Amino acid sequence: MARARRGRGEGSIFQRDDGLWVGRISLGYDAQGKRMQKTVYGKTKAEVQEKLEKLKQDPTTGLPQDIEKLTVATYMTRWLEDTARLTIRETTYASYEIIIRLHITPEIGHLRLNKLTPAHLQQLYARKLEELSPRTVQIIHAILHRALKQAHRWDMVQQNVAAAVDRPKAPKKETQFLTPEQVEQFWQVAEQDRLYALYVLAATTGMRQGELLGLQWPDIDLAQTTLSVKRTLINISGTPTTGEPKSTAGRRAITLPEIAVQALRDHRKRMLAEGLTASPWVFCDTKGGPIHKQNLVRRSFKPLLKEAELPDIRFHDLRHTAATLLLAKGVHPKVVQERLGHSSVNLTLDTYSHLMPALQRDAADKLDELFGKGKGAR
């Protein structure tokens, strides 16, 4: 029988299929953050209601006092393991665990959860802004906001105090990208590198670093010039492993330009020449195993940038480069969104808003071409 959600101490009543009436009352949570309940039974609904009323009024029933002793540290640990871990990716879980262990627990972990105030969080953010980047402090705030929202839903606290604190501000990073001439300059230097095809894919598909390193040969159909993004390579405690794409939109098919198809054909020949026929990875180390992200950047990408005398950009900026080049050539933002695996076209437009003035000018010029310059003048 369906029942409406009830708050702590209200109780709920329902009748079983055998006719017996059942009443349950929430006793809150113990000092370890575990939910406590008590169940009573009766032949009639009125009998069960009476028993529940007695439980509410009798302090010896155990409407818990332990909740008063629950600390922020204990709650955050239980929330992370029992709740958050069920809904987030392993890499996100790992980052949450580090943030909680290193930056939340040492600062406010000793406080009782129900005594936590907005002032405590404001002071925490102020201290952390002196030693961490604004973006990291934003992540601290996001984790606390999410965890305390759950605590409020469970009636463990009267309010989500994180909602009463302003999100720390972080300066928006300027998007960096290479020009078409710089991309060709980079490719010329990288052409003899064993990972040349990876850099061609990065600048033409906009795939994320983990998606490129997670590619396996069955994901690529050179005859149909298509590539399927099915997984991403992630690091868990320093060990490479595969995970799901970042979002549902991240699982996608990408049509490849001829330069990428040819680069992959040549790359396949190179891998065969190296004796790596058994490796499933498109881009692997010299032993056929997956490539560590840090090794790719440190041993290959950064040295190639330096040799090509190009700006010291991040690997992720090759993704920005691919998107910028496509938008600048008039490719519809929806198509760019699908190639990048963005969750929405709005995200694509917001990320590359620096191109909008130029696209507006291009739109106006095309209208002039359509109707003829000056024809409207009389």
Side-chain angles (χ1 to χ4, degrees):
M1 183 180 296
R3 308 189 294 280
R5 180 184 181 276
R6 297 173 183 260
R8 174 183 171 188
E10 291 182 12
S12 62
I13 300 175
F14 62 96
Q15 189 176 29
R16 295 192 326 199
D17 292 340
D18 61 4
L20 188 68
W21 285 88
V22 181
R24 288 202 182 109
I25 188 169
S26 173
L27 302 181
Y29 297 79
D30 62 20
Q32 285 69 49
K34 184 178 180 180
R35 178 183 279 278
M36 300 168 61
Q37 287 185 327
K38 194 157 189 175
T39 303
V40 295
Y41 303 90
K43 295 181 178 179
T44 66
K45 182 177 181 180
E47 181 184 351
V48 170
Q49 286 176 325
E50 183 179 352
K51 288 182 178 180
L52 288 180
E53 282 301 317
K54 287 183 179 179
L55 285 175
K56 294 177 189 178
Q57 296 170 10
D58 183 1
T60 63
T61 59
L63 278 180
Q65 300 303 312
D66 280 349
I67 191 67
E68 301 292 329
K69 302 176 184 178
L70 182 63
T71 64
V72 172
T74 300
Y75 170 71
M76 293 300 294
T77 299
R78 289 297 297 266
W79 169 79
L80 180 64
E81 294 297 330
D82 298 343
T83 302
R85 193 167 196 169
L86 302 177
T87 59
I88 58 179
R89 303 168 73 212
E90 275 300 307
T91 49
T92 304
Y93 166 80
S95 66
Y96 276 21
E97 190 279 328
I98 292 172
I99 290 290
I100 292 171
R101 175 165 46 85
L102 297 183
H103 302 299
I104 295 178
T105 296
E107 298 284 347
I108 61 173
H110 63 286
L111 298 173
R112 292 184 179 179
L113 181 66
N114 61 0
K115 300 296 183 182
L116 191 65
T117 67
H120 287 133
L121 300 191
Q122 199 70 66
Q123 293 165 7
L124 168 66
Y125 300 159
R127 289 194 297 271
K128 288 301 173 181
L129 282 170
E130 295 178 357
E131 59 180 272
L132 302 172
S133 70
R135 178 56 186 155
T136 302
V137 181
Q138 283 186 337
I139 295 173
I140 293 174
H141 172 73
I143 293 173
L144 283 168
H145 191 285
R146 183 171 178 175
L148 294 174
K149 182 179 180 180
Q150 188 67 66
H152 184 228
R153 286 176 177 169
W154 287 343
D155 299 318
M156 301 175 76
V157 293
Q158 293 185 353
Q159 64 168 329
N160 177 0
V161 296
V165 181
D166 290 334
R167 180 174 180 262
K169 292 184 178 180
K172 189 174 181 180
K173 290 184 179 180
E174 184 177 350
T175 302
Q176 291 184 288
F177 58 90
L178 300 179
T179 65
E181 295 75 21
Q182 289 175 321
V183 171
E184 290 188 350
Q185 185 176 337
F186 179 68
W187 283 345
Q188 287 175 3
V189 172
E191 196 167 7
Q192 300 307 314
D193 191 276
R194 69 189 299 273
L195 297 177
Y196 167 67
L198 182 147
Y199 297 120
V200 173
L201 284 182
T204 57
T205 67
M207 291 171 64
R208 300 175 178 91
Q209 184 182 10
E211 294 171 345
L212 289 162
L213 295 180
L215 275 177
Q216 296 186 2
W217 285 111
D219 303 331
I220 298 175
D221 188 336
L222 293 178
Q224 297 297 320
T225 68
T226 58
L227 173 156
S228 297
V229 180
K230 298 179 179 179
R231 73 191 66 78
T232 184
L233 194 71
I234 57 179
N235 287 328
I236 302 297
S237 301
T239 302
T241 186
T242 57
E244 291 293 316
K246 191 173 183 180
S247 64
T248 302
R251 185 178 286 274
R252 61 200 187 277
I254 301 174
T255 301
L256 301 173
E258 182 56 34
I259 187 173
V261 172
Q262 189 56 52
L264 285 168
R265 291 187 192 280
D266 294 341
H267 178 72
R268 182 62 171 162
K269 293 177 182 177
R270 183 195 292 266
M271 295 300 101
L272 293 175
E274 290 184 12
L276 300 172
T277 55
S279 176
W281 306 101
V282 175
F283 304 111
C284 59
D285 60 23
T286 54
K287 295 181 180 179
I291 297 176
H292 286 254
K293 293 182 178 181
Q294 298 87 341
N295 291 344
L296 171 66
V297 173
R298 186 176 67 252
R299 299 177 184 177
S300 178
F301 179 59
K302 290 295 184 178
L304 288 173
L305 276 179
K306 187 175 182 180
E307 185 179 348
E309 299 181 346
L310 291 172
D312 186 23
I313 62 173
R314 304 168 302 164
F315 187 93
H316 192 74
D317 291 324
L318 292 179
R319 176 172 165 83
H320 293 319
T321 295
T324 299
L325 296 181
L326 290 172
L327 289 169
K329 291 298 291 183
V331 176
H332 195 284
K334 181 64 178 176
V335 176
V336 177
Q337 173 224 329
E338 292 172 350
R339 289 180 71 85
L340 294 181
H342 279 165
S343 57
S344 72
V345 71
N346 288 336
L347 175 58
T348 307
L349 292 172
D350 289 344
T351 304
Y352 302 105
S353 58
H354 61 282
L355 292 175
M356 292 307 107
L359 295 179
Q360 288 280 4
R361 179 67 265 168
D362 183 57
D365 291 342
K366 287 181 178 178
L367 286 172
D368 280 336
E369 292 174 10
L370 179 64
F371 295 110
K373 293 183 180 179
K375 281 188 178 181
R378 295 286 184 269

